[in-house]
Amino acid sequence: MRNLLARYADGMDRVSVFIGQGCSVLLFACIVISAAEVVFRYGFDRPTVWSTELAMTLCASAWVLAVGFVTERNRHISITMLELVVGPRVWRVFRLVQMLIAFGAILVLTMALWKPAMKVLSRTEYSGTALNSIQPTIFKVLIVIGCVLYLAQLVSNVIRWIQHTEKDITGGH
């Protein structure tokens, strides 16, 4: 059983890293689109109706999908001063409590968002802007996907915590 859990944790870590690194392409595309908008707007006096909404969609998508990667690396915002005050043993317990609270909160969020996400898959929602993109549909589905990735990575992190192979703050073992 221990080997199976370790294999799950290793596999989930690889999935999180792959998706997280893949999201860098979305952020790069956002930079290119934003730079193009600056050229169109100020160089040619021809602002676009699509660049802001597309840049927002790309950045938000990367942010939502990269949550597993951030969790795998233990790079969420934390109060490191508290770690120094309480010591490594207590901090380790705090980490477990944090992961369990996060799991519960994200599970509730996922359950709350599930029905709206399934609804937009059968009836596409549009933004109502000049571009009138399907941004609301994309976000409602991506947030649920991001929540599932976060939950799966939290399980991986708890497995590592139980097996005493938790990754340190630098991302190594």
Side-chain angles (χ1 to χ4, degrees), residues 105-125:
I106 299 303
L107 183 62
V108 169
L109 178 64
T110 306
M111 291 186 316
L113 296 174
W114 183 262
K115 191 173 180 179
M118 294 303 110
K119 186 177 178 182
V120 298
L121 289 175
S122 63
R123 185 183 50 85
T124 304
E125 293 181 8

Side-chain angles (χ1 to χ4, degrees), residues 12-149:
M12 191 61 229
D13 289 353
R14 283 193 297 276
V15 168
S16 292
V17 169
F18 177 78
I19 292 171
Q21 290 176 343
C23 286
S24 65
V25 174
L26 298 175
L27 295 172
F28 180 73
C30 180
I31 292 168
V32 169
I33 289 164
S34 298
E37 173 60 18
V38 169
V39 171
F40 289 138
R41 179 178 298 267
Y42 298 108
F44 300 109
D45 197 27
R46 298 276 188 221
T48 65
V49 297
W50 52 267
S51 64
T52 302
E53 196 165 338
L54 183 57
M56 261 186 359
T57 301
L58 293 171
C59 282
S61 298
W63 184 80
V64 166
L65 293 174
V67 71
F69 178 71
V70 172
T71 304
E72 186 267 342
R73 300 291 161 121
N74 292 321
R75 298 304 247 165
H76 288 286
I77 296 171
S78 66
I79 305 169
T80 54
M81 184 188 86
L82 189 58
E83 180 180 4
L84 298 172
V85 171
V86 299
R89 249 188 214 144
V90 174
W91 185 252
R92 183 169 152 69
V93 173
F94 281 3
R95 287 270 310 128
L96 178 62
V97 170
Q98 173 266 320
M99 288 185 284
L100 295 175
I101 290 170
F103 188 89
I106 299 303
L107 183 62
V108 169
L109 178 64
T110 306
M111 291 186 316
L113 296 174
W114 183 262
K115 191 173 180 179
M118 294 303 110
K119 186 177 178 182
V120 298
L121 289 175
S122 63
R123 185 183 50 85
T124 304
E125 293 181 8
Y126 296 89
S127 64
T129 62
L131 182 60
N132 203 26
S133 73
I134 62 168
Q135 187 183 52
T137 299
I138 293 169
F139 288 158
K140 285 182 179 181
V141 173
L142 278 183
I143 290 172
V144 171
I145 292 170
C147 285
V148 170
L149 291 170

